[in-house]
Amino acid sequence: MSLFPAYAADATASVEQHDADNVPKVRETGELPWLHDIKVPEIPLPQQDKDCRVSSETQCETRTKAFEDCITNSAITTDIQYEKKEKKYERETHSDSVTSKKKGKRKSGSDSDTSNEAYTHHRKKRRHKEHHTEKNYFRKKKKKKLKRRSRDESPVCAIPSQEKTEDFYEDKCPNKGFLKVDTLYKPAVPVYKCNHHKALGKLPSRKAKKRNYRYYLYCLDEENSQAENWKGVSSCEKQESEIMSKTEEYNVALTKNPNDVDMWIQYVNYQEVVHQFERAYRGVHGKGTMAERQLSIIDRALALNPGNKQLVRKRVTIAESSLSADVASRQIEALLSTQPTSIELWRGFVRTTQWSMALCSAPGVLNLYIKATQQLHQSRRGAPASQTPPAERAIIDLVLDCGLFLRQAGLWEHVWLLVQAYLTLNLITPTTKYFELKSDVSEDDVMTEEMKVMRSQLPLMTLWARVERIREDAHWLPVSDSEESEDPQRHVTGEDIAGMVHPITEPMLNFRLIAVCISLLKVPLLPCRDCWVRLLGIDQVPWAVDGPEWFLPVLQPPSPLWKPPPAKILQSVLELVGGPQYLLTTLGQPVYLNSVCRILRLVSDILPEPAATAFLVWWLRFERLMVSLEQSGICKLPSNHRKLRSSVKDILKQERYRNNLSLYREFALLELDLGHNDSAQRILSNATEAAFPGMPVAGVPGSTERAALIALYRSLCEVHLARGDKAGALETVLTLASNRSANLQLSITETASKFVHIGAELLNDSPSGDTDGSEILLPDAAVDWVTCHAWMVYLTESPLAATALFEKLIPKFEGSGDLVTKERCRAEALWESYICMLQWHCRNTTFTFSVLQDAIIRALEVFPNNLHFLASLAELQNIASTVSVSWCHLTNSFASSESVLPQAFLILDLLHRHNKVKEANIQAFQFLSVGGPVVTDPCEQNRCLALLERLLVDQTTKHCPLLWRLKLKIHPSEETFYRAVDECPWVRDIYLDGTLSVPEKADKLQTLMMEKELRYHVLPDELEVIRSGFEALAGLVKHEVTH
């Protein structure tokens, strides 16, 4: 098809001699009339060519003749040049002979003849080469002439002229004359606007396209360097000079101020820049040299700053990541001789063995924990009183690490003995058997469950894994020597863990010790705040997150107005729960749930106030959580837990707790969770009226009672708002400030000023300093007062004024560093109230979600381990997709902490999104009734796998058992299993998961478990004998029935 009819007309004029039969038929259409309307200006020809035009053959002959004349002239010129060179050569030869005669050095005749012959041969060779080149040239010229002649004589399809009326024709024969056109001029030239980087239908932007480079080098001090000083200097020399100057700056600064720990850390991190330069320009690919430099710098820093926690932690981290396990263990042990009370060094000393596939074994690691605890216990003997609290804090940290290790290795008998020993030793108990527990699971029930599994006819290793799950759920308590048991590992005595048990003499640390023991029994932290996680030291244990129990607090919001995420967000990890447990309906679920609740009740009965109330509040929140889980369909509660309301009423009838306002508040929230809104509102109203009637809040005796009273008013206000009663909520907060019922129009201004004055007094009188943890579980008077004040401002003025109140107060309490203080706990609670208000406002108005999103991200920067903030951000991405942050920003918000908790929750959120998309595809497929298989979008799953892979190669998170189990569940493979075992060789659940993901390697897994001396309840060989006996018995019964 020809798009240029104007040129077609000219070509037609030059081929009129062809036959008309060669002209193709024209198809008559009227769709492209513009093709013949184009007027192409005629290209001007030279003056001598206007009168006569020479044909192509004449032009070719003329040009060939001219070229031959040119070649002949050039050949003559070449001969003249050769004659000149020959004469010059003869003169030079003659002058050389004369000179040699003068000097007495005569040449022989043979030498002269040889030189003449060489010159003649060289001349002939040059002439032969030029003749051959000229001959080849004329031969190629003749071929090209014949080819052009045959092309001109070939039949060419005639093209209709422009005078014809056809608008469109179909050109089926190529006309190579069009190839001689040098260029086209407007308007004949077509104009196309192609944009391959934009979506279809999107207008092209005028912004200049930036070139994205794939590989980068660190930009070294660009602000201080000037481009004109580096002209003519290579990039390698420039960066080397900058590295040398930067290193000199560090050395000068550290020489002047050797106690600047932050500068030392920066200098250590700067070695990564140096290593990247060496890898790019020097070919140094290994990290051994960089690690040696970093360790040398840290050793020099530790010599000037002995015992610094940041430097010690950095030293241990580099040694673990770059050195072998035995070498790192020897180096850390040498440092322990000078710093025997450093918990960072002791943790690193144990982890080098625990994380090593070659060195790890359950008894060996337990002995290392015992050695570390005994050394810390001996270091406080005879030491000053100021050194006792740090040593005891280190002992509590080691108790947490050892308990988690024993729990993940499956040694639950040791875990329970450790918890029981510490509670009995450090609490005043009526008897030594106060915390003794007994299992109510009979062996007959266990055997019945195992027989059900045997009938399934599954492979042997699958049967073994299921029997292991049944027995670990029922056999988690040790048996005494008087009791008989077929499993010898159930006979565990106190002597096995006696070296780990030591008294804690500091009264402020008792609350933390009890909280650590309760958390080892899989009781979630309620509420799960960043301060609570830091206080227990969980953020310093990268392998602490091993099951779904850590994420249960997201389903229990801190306020009635807080919208929790859907319960399906935990669906992907519920299958990874390990026994003993209280989530799934199994044989041992009721026994374990009753045991955990009993321990919480027993602890609260022997503790003084306010610690007793704090643990009772923890127990009530745990019971509320179980009710929420049952309502969402995650678990099914035992029959005795369905009488929870009567149990709480019995506690409130006791003389000790009859006037405890915090328990009344939790009881009202329990009624609210059960769906009894009227009952919850009535309990809160009666409690606020009966507590200190006619007495202003400032006059209430005791800080604990005052904080509980203000918390009652706040909960009542939020219950009114949850039911849509703004007038009732406003009346409640006004009553709190004025303690009387007055006309709202007259009391708003007065109560606003009282809120300000009383709030300032509460903030000034609030205690400060380190916290023992009870402030996290119990209400805070200043926080609840500021929250009620903000709700009054919200209801009377505007939401903007209420947010300004929080923005003004929160920065006053945010501290810096890792210390958990009361001010930091107060700041985190204020952030929760602030986000709760924004969340409720966004749900009930057309308010933009950007302010809420910004508040959550800023809160996560300070408190990254707060699960309620993480859940709110995840829910916001699902609700308001138009303002949701990008994936990289979302990942950075979750991963801003070194703790594993935020990253693991991000994985759960991604899996929840993937399940939602999968369910939507299935529903759409069923609705449309389309044939064929359901094709799901693997985008979210691939994104999840990519994030998992990034976390599993990071030094901080690669030892997390839950991440590896999720990877095995999503992408089961032999490579993934071997990597998981190499990074977490002590985790028993990974071996059990491997029997399902890699069944062909099940025999080796069992052998490996026995080498590591992990807990196993039955051997596959024993199970084979039991199965064969069961099959024989079943066959005998069948035979008797048939006959």
Side-chain angles (χ1 to χ4, degrees):
M1 181 178 65
S2 177
L3 296 179
F4 309 106
Y7 289 96
D10 295 338
T12 306
S14 61
V15 292
E16 292 179 353
Q17 67 273 15
H18 293 288
D19 192 12
D21 296 336
N22 294 328
V23 180
K25 295 182 180 180
V26 179
R27 198 166 25 171
E28 297 181 359
T29 62
E31 298 177 356
L32 302 174
W34 56 274
L35 288 175
H36 292 280
D37 295 337
I38 299 176
K39 296 180 179 180
V40 182
E42 185 178 0
I43 303 176
L45 297 174
Q47 184 67 28
Q48 61 272 17
D49 295 340
K50 285 186 178 181
D51 298 334
C52 59
R53 299 187 179 184
V54 188
S55 63
S56 58
E57 294 182 2
T58 308
Q59 290 179 2
C60 182
E61 293 176 357
T62 306
R63 292 175 183 174
T64 304
K65 185 177 181 180
F67 188 78
E68 291 175 355
D69 296 340
C70 180
I71 292 296
T72 305
N73 295 334
S74 63
I76 296 173
T77 307
T78 304
D79 293 339
I80 296 174
Q81 291 177 356
Y82 283 143
E83 292 178 359
K84 291 182 179 180
K85 288 182 181 180
E86 184 179 359
K87 292 180 181 180
K88 182 179 179 181
Y89 184 78
E90 291 177 355
R91 286 196 302 268
E92 291 176 357
T93 307
H94 179 70
S95 62
D96 293 340
S97 62
V98 173
T99 306
S100 62
K101 287 180 182 180
K102 288 182 179 181
K103 292 183 179 181
K105 297 180 180 179
R106 297 182 178 180
K107 285 187 175 183
S108 61
S110 60
D111 295 338
S112 176
D113 296 339
T114 303
S115 61
N116 293 333
E117 290 177 0
Y119 175 73
T120 306
H121 176 71
H122 176 71
R123 180 180 176 184
K124 289 181 179 180
K125 188 175 181 180
R126 288 287 300 270
R127 281 186 172 276
H128 176 73
K129 184 176 181 181
E130 291 174 359
H131 175 73
H132 184 69
T133 304
E134 182 178 353
K135 186 177 180 181
N136 288 341
Y137 171 78
F138 283 108
R139 186 183 301 166
K140 292 181 181 179
K141 194 68 178 176
K142 186 176 181 180
K143 287 183 179 180
K144 192 178 295 184
K145 179 179 178 180
L146 295 174
K147 185 176 181 181
R148 187 183 298 111
R149 182 179 301 173
S150 62
R151 182 184 61 193
D152 293 339
E153 294 176 356
S154 61
V156 181
C157 295
I159 302 175
S161 62
Q162 195 173 7
E163 298 178 356
K164 295 185 178 181
T165 58
E166 286 81 7
D167 298 327
F168 180 83
Y169 64 91
E170 186 176 4
D171 188 5
K172 294 185 177 180
C173 297
N175 189 350
K176 298 184 179 180
F178 291 153
L179 300 177
K180 298 180 180 180
V181 179
D182 295 331
T183 183
L184 299 178
Y185 298 95
K186 294 181 179 180
V189 57
V191 180
Y192 302 100
K193 292 183 178 180
C194 299
N195 195 346
H196 304 285
H197 305 282
K198 300 294 182 182
L200 185 62
K202 188 172 182 179
L203 296 177
S205 60
R206 296 184 179 179
K207 295 182 180 179
K209 180 183 176 182
K210 296 182 179 179
R211 183 177 181 183
N212 296 325
Y213 293 92
R214 184 174 180 181
Y215 301 103
Y216 298 89
L217 289 176
Y218 281 97
C219 188
L220 305 176
D221 202 9
E222 280 191 354
E223 297 181 357
N224 300 329
S225 62
Q226 297 180 358
E228 58 271 9
N229 297 334
W230 298 103
K231 290 183 178 180
V233 181
S234 64
S235 176
C236 177
E237 297 176 356
K238 176 182 177 181
Q239 294 194 23
E240 186 177 7
S241 177
E242 291 177 355
I243 288 175
M244 294 177 62
S245 61
K246 193 70 175 179
T247 304
E248 184 178 358
E249 291 178 7
Y250 278 120
N251 290 327
V252 171
L254 292 174
T255 304
K256 293 181 180 179
N257 187 9
N259 298 325
D260 191 355
V261 178
D262 295 335
M263 184 64 70
W264 282 108
I265 298 296
Q266 293 177 11
Y267 189 29
V268 172
N269 295 334
Y270 186 72
Q271 302 307 311
E272 298 179 1
V273 180
V274 179
H275 172 68
Q276 189 172 10
F277 169 78
E278 293 178 346
R279 185 179 61 182
Y281 294 102
R282 305 262 177 93
V284 180
H285 298 288
K287 292 186 178 181
T289 307
M290 180 188 68
E292 291 179 0
R293 285 199 299 261
Q294 290 178 331
L295 293 176
S296 176
I297 294 171
I298 294 179
D299 291 339
R300 187 174 51 165
L302 284 173
L304 299 174
N305 303 275
N308 187 271
K309 290 186 177 181
Q310 297 182 16
L311 293 175
V312 171
R313 193 178 298 129
K314 190 72 174 178
R315 175 68 165 79
V316 171
T317 303
I318 296 175
E320 290 173 349
S321 60
S322 59
L323 303 178
S324 60
D326 53 346
V327 174
S329 180
R330 288 196 299 267
Q331 290 188 4
I332 297 175
E333 191 174 7
L335 292 174
L336 280 171
S337 60
T338 59
Q339 304 176 28
T341 59
S342 175
I343 181 59
E344 285 79 11
L345 287 178
W346 280 114
R347 276 178 163 172
F349 178 65
V350 177
R351 287 174 184 173
T352 52
T353 303
Q354 180 179 339
W355 291 353
S356 174
M357 184 63 186
L359 304 179
C360 177
S361 67
V365 176
L366 180 58
N367 292 333
L368 290 179
Y369 277 115
I370 292 175
K371 177 182 178 180
T373 310
Q374 290 177 345
Q375 186 66 31
L376 290 171
H377 174 64
Q378 294 176 2
S379 65
R380 63 180 179 176
R381 290 183 177 180
S386 59
Q387 296 183 6
T388 302
E392 293 185 349
R393 289 193 188 95
I395 290 176
I396 296 176
D397 292 337
L398 287 179
V399 169
L400 174 65
D401 293 3
C402 182
L404 289 172
F405 167 76
L406 294 174
R407 189 174 81 180
Q408 294 171 7
L411 303 173
W412 269 95
E413 295 85 359
H414 295 73
V415 174
W416 169 243
L417 284 180
L418 182 66
V419 171
Q420 184 184 16
Y422 265 99
L423 293 178
T424 306
L425 182 62
N426 295 281
L427 296 178
I428 302 175
T429 58
T431 61
T432 56
K433 297 183 179 181
Y434 184 74
F435 291 104
E436 186 175 355
L437 297 177
K438 291 185 178 181
S439 176
D440 297 334
V441 181
S442 63
E443 292 297 327
D444 295 338
D445 297 337
V446 176
M447 186 61 67
T448 303
E449 292 293 328
E450 292 178 359
M451 289 298 106
K452 292 180 181 178
V453 176
M454 293 294 182
R455 295 191 186 98
S456 60
Q457 300 296 325
L458 293 172
L460 178 61
M461 298 310 299
T462 306
L463 289 177
W464 173 74
R466 294 195 178 186
V467 171
E468 280 287 324
R469 292 298 185 188
I470 293 174
R471 294 197 179 187
E472 74 177 0
D473 197 33
H475 298 163
W476 61 278
L477 289 175
V479 296
S480 60
D481 296 335
S482 60
E483 298 177 358
E484 295 181 359
S485 177
E486 297 179 356
D487 188 0
Q489 297 190 34
R490 296 188 65 187
H491 293 278
V492 181
T493 61
E495 298 178 357
D496 298 331
I497 48 95
M500 280 293 302
V501 182
H502 300 284
I504 303 298
T505 60
E506 188 69 21
M508 194 174 181
L509 297 177
N510 272 340
F511 190 93
R512 180 185 175 188
L513 174 65
I514 299 171
V516 167
C517 293
I518 297 298
S519 64
L520 287 177
L521 298 178
K522 295 187 177 182
V523 179
L525 306 179
L526 300 169
C528 188
R529 293 177 178 172
D530 182 82
C531 294
W532 204 203
V533 174
R534 290 178 182 271
L535 182 66
L536 299 184
I538 297 173
D539 61 322
Q540 300 298 325
V541 185
W543 41 276
V545 182
D546 54 357
E549 292 85 4
W550 294 100
F551 306 100
L552 294 178
V554 300
L555 302 180
Q556 188 182 86
S559 170
L561 298 178
W562 196 296
K563 183 182 179 182
K568 290 184 178 180
I569 197 172
L570 303 178
Q571 182 180 357
S572 56
V573 291
L574 286 177
E575 301 175 1
L576 304 180
V577 63
Q581 48 82 32
Y582 49 81
L583 292 176
L584 304 180
T585 305
T586 57
L587 186 62
Q589 180 208 15
V591 177
Y592 187 72
L593 183 58
N594 294 334
S595 302
V596 169
C597 295
R598 184 171 180 269
I599 293 298
L600 283 169
R601 293 282 303 278
L602 292 175
V603 167
S604 61
D605 289 342
I606 62 176
L607 283 178
E609 293 293 340
T613 303
F615 279 101
L616 264 182
V617 168
W618 195 354
W619 167 68
L620 282 173
R621 289 176 180 173
F622 179 65
E623 294 284 4
R624 288 173 49 202
L625 176 63
M626 297 305 298
V627 170
S628 302
L629 293 176
E630 186 181 27
Q631 291 178 349
S632 59
I634 292 181
C635 69
K636 185 178 181 181
L637 292 179
S639 58
N640 57 340
H641 281 264
R642 300 182 187 276
K643 302 178 181 179
L644 181 60
R645 297 175 62 193
S646 60
S647 301
V648 177
K649 290 180 180 178
D650 294 339
I651 293 175
L652 293 174
K653 290 177 182 179
Q654 298 179 13
E655 185 68 25
R656 184 181 180 183
Y657 305 114
R658 185 170 296 173
N659 297 321
N660 196 316
L661 300 180
S662 297
L663 297 182
Y664 278 101
R665 176 172 175 264
E666 294 297 328
F667 181 49
L669 295 178
L670 174 62
E671 292 285 343
L672 192 65
D673 293 338
L674 292 172
H676 307 152
N677 298 335
D678 296 334
S679 177
Q681 183 175 342
R682 184 172 60 255
I683 293 172
L684 292 173
S685 300
N686 295 337
T688 53
E689 293 174 1
F692 309 102
M695 184 181 297
V697 175
V700 175
S703 59
T704 306
E705 289 78 6
R706 188 186 306 117
L709 179 61
I710 299 174
L712 280 175
Y713 276 98
R714 174 190 172 179
S715 299
L716 182 59
C717 172
E718 291 174 346
V719 167
H720 280 296
L721 290 173
R723 306 186 68 180
D725 186 9
K726 294 185 179 181
L730 181 59
E731 183 181 356
T732 301
V733 295
L734 294 178
T735 305
L736 172 63
S738 60
N739 204 22
R740 63 179 185 273
S741 258
N743 191 356
L744 296 180
Q745 298 295 333
L746 300 176
S747 60
I748 289 178
T749 305
E750 180 183 359
T751 53
S753 60
K754 285 189 176 183
F755 262 117
V756 175
H757 293 299
I758 298 176
E761 294 178 2
L762 290 175
L763 292 175
N764 294 330
D765 297 340
S766 298
S768 58
D770 296 340
T771 178
D772 61 346
S774 59
E775 292 83 359
I776 302 175
L777 293 173
L778 296 177
D780 188 277
V783 173
D784 293 331
W785 185 270
V786 170
T787 304
C788 293
H789 184 196
W791 280 118
M792 192 209 70
V793 174
Y794 178 90
L795 296 172
T796 56
E797 297 183 22
S798 65
L800 185 61
T803 57
L805 178 63
F806 282 112
E807 293 285 353
K808 181 180 179 181
L809 291 176
I810 288 175
K812 295 182 179 180
F813 300 102
E814 289 181 351
S816 58
D818 297 335
L819 295 177
V820 181
T821 60
K822 296 179 180 179
E823 292 84 357
R824 187 178 178 87
C825 297
R826 195 170 293 121
E828 187 173 7
L830 285 174
W831 269 115
E832 286 182 355
S833 302
Y834 182 24
I835 293 174
C836 177
M837 177 179 290
L838 291 176
Q839 193 182 58
W840 182 82
H841 182 70
C842 291
R843 289 199 312 266
N844 294 275
T845 59
T846 56
F847 187 69
T848 177
F849 287 87
S850 58
V851 179
L852 173 61
Q853 176 182 287
D854 179 69
I856 295 174
I857 292 177
R858 287 192 291 131
L860 283 174
E861 292 176 357
V862 186
F863 307 102
N865 296 302
N866 192 304
L867 282 182
H868 303 295
F869 297 160
L870 297 172
S872 298
L873 185 59
E875 185 67 18
L876 183 62
Q877 304 305 308
N878 298 328
I879 295 175
S881 59
T882 55
V883 296
S884 59
V885 296
S886 60
W887 171 247
C888 60
H889 293 163
L890 181 64
T891 307
N892 294 335
S893 299
F894 278 79
S896 59
S897 172
E898 296 181 355
S899 178
V900 187
L901 206 60
Q903 288 92 327
F905 185 80
L906 180 59
I907 297 294
L908 299 187
D909 180 54
L910 276 179
L911 292 176
H912 173 56
R913 293 187 184 185
H914 172 63
N915 294 333
K916 286 178 61 178
V917 173
K918 188 175 181 180
E919 291 177 0
N921 290 339
I922 294 175
Q923 292 177 2
F925 179 81
Q926 295 175 354
F927 177 77
L928 297 175
S929 299
V930 181
V934 180
V935 181
T936 59
D937 186 10
C939 176
E940 296 296 337
Q941 182 175 353
N942 294 339
R943 179 177 286 180
C944 182
L945 286 174
L947 180 59
L948 268 175
E949 188 62 30
R950 194 185 75 176
L951 295 177
L952 293 176
V953 298
D954 186 76
Q955 183 65 25
T956 307
T957 57
K958 70 178 182 179
H959 299 288
C960 177
L962 183 63
L963 296 180
W964 283 111
R965 297 188 66 191
L966 285 173
K967 182 68 178 295
L968 279 173
K969 178 186 175 182
I970 300 173
H971 185 66
S973 64
E974 186 176 350
E975 179 186 1
T976 304
F977 170 73
Y978 283 132
R979 289 178 57 195
V981 171
D982 185 62
E983 298 295 345
C984 305
W986 72 94
V987 182
R988 175 177 176 270
D989 289 333
I990 292 180
Y991 293 90
L992 295 180
D993 294 343
T995 58
L996 302 178
S997 58
V998 194
E1000 62 274 7
K1001 303 293 182 180
D1003 296 337
K1004 296 183 179 180
L1005 301 184
Q1006 178 217 345
T1007 306
L1008 197 59
M1009 281 185 64
M1010 297 180 66
E1011 290 178 358
K1012 302 301 176 185
E1013 299 186 49
L1014 304 180
R1015 183 71 165 95
Y1016 57 89
H1017 297 81
V1018 62
L1019 293 175
D1021 298 337
E1022 299 175 2
L1023 195 62
E1024 178 67 22
V1025 174
I1026 296 174
R1027 185 175 68 169
S1028 60
F1030 176 76
E1031 291 177 354
L1033 181 61
L1036 181 61
V1037 172
K1038 184 178 180 181
H1039 179 73
E1040 291 179 356
V1041 171
T1042 55
H1043 292 281

